[in-house]
Amino acid sequence: MFIAHLPAGYLLSRPFARRNPLQARAIFSTGLLCSVLPDFDLVYFYLIDQRRTPHHDYWVHTPIFWLVAAAAIAFLLIAAGRRNQLVLVAVGLLSVLLHLVMDSIAADIRWFFPFADLRVNLVHVQAVYKPWYLNFLLHWTFALELMIWLVAGYLGVRDFRKPRATGTGAA
Ligand SMILES: [Zn+2]
């Protein structure tokens, strides 16, 4: 997916933030950052790799890498007695995995790498138009992306306007 990662991260973080009002800001920051984190590999793709490898083939687009990273961070937090921050690890991991689920719709994602090379790609977007991105913008999956933006935008505006009546801070 192109543009829906960020609003999807918002929608994912929202219930966690509502349940943990004292950490809401940190939860949203983590969720939003992690919802786009795998795509930071585009910097490497364009600037260093010179577009030789599809960026979905980099290890930051493999779920097992993130599972191991999240487990390591969770372990360190527990060892440091900072269990209250585990919710951030959970939100971060789920946001990254959601990114990969969304990428699996129209791109190749190797869900079991390095143990298997199975590639998950639910919809093959045909190369009909030029430039290449028009193939995605004019595909029905892009309507799905706009829907995600609409829902997130609606809820975001509603939350922003609503006075924080429920947040007693008793967490
Ligand atoms: Zn991606």
Side-chain angles (χ1 to χ4, degrees):
M1 287 207 159
F2 263 131
I3 58 165
H5 290 304
L6 212 52
Y10 175 79
L11 291 174
L12 185 144
S13 306
R14 195 170 173 266
F16 289 93
R18 286 164 78 93
R19 211 169 299 154
N20 303 275
L22 287 180
Q23 289 177 288
R25 190 181 287 251
I27 288 171
F28 276 124
S29 303
T30 305
L32 291 175
L33 174 70
C34 290
S35 71
V36 292
L37 195 56
D39 282 350
F40 279 55
D41 65 5
L42 285 167
V43 176
Y44 181 85
F45 176 69
Y46 282 109
L47 297 185
I48 297 166
D49 198 28
Q50 304 295 334
R51 300 195 285 171
R52 279 187 291 249
T53 314
H55 86 104
H56 291 120
D57 277 2
Y58 297 144
W59 47 267
V60 288
H61 271 90
T62 59
I64 290 175
F65 164 75
W66 293 106
L67 286 171
V68 172
I73 296 169
F75 177 78
L76 288 175
L77 286 174
I78 291 169
R82 291 158 66 176
R83 284 171 179 268
N84 65 323
Q85 291 179 334
L86 287 176
V87 64
L88 302 179
V89 181
V91 170
L93 177 63
L94 290 173
S95 298
V96 166
L97 293 179
L98 179 61
H99 178 111
L100 298 177
V101 167
M102 293 167 75
D103 273 356
S104 299
I105 294 175
D108 272 344
I109 296 298
R110 296 177 295 168
W111 276 87
F112 303 105
F113 181 84
F115 303 111
D117 206 39
L118 174 77
R119 289 167 182 272
V120 179
N121 179 356
L122 299 178
V123 180
H124 286 273
V125 178
Q126 303 290 330
V128 182
Y129 309 103
K130 278 187 178 172
W132 63 271
Y133 54 82
L134 281 183
N135 296 304
F136 289 91
L137 296 186
L138 299 174
H139 195 263
W140 64 264
T141 52
F142 196 69
L144 196 64
E145 304 208 46
L146 294 176
M147 289 268 291
I148 295 170
W149 264 107
L150 276 176
V151 173
Y154 169 74
L155 292 176
V157 169
R158 210 179 64 171
D159 289 352
F160 188 72
R161 282 194 182 148
K162 194 168 57 180
R164 288 174 195 179
T166 52
T168 57

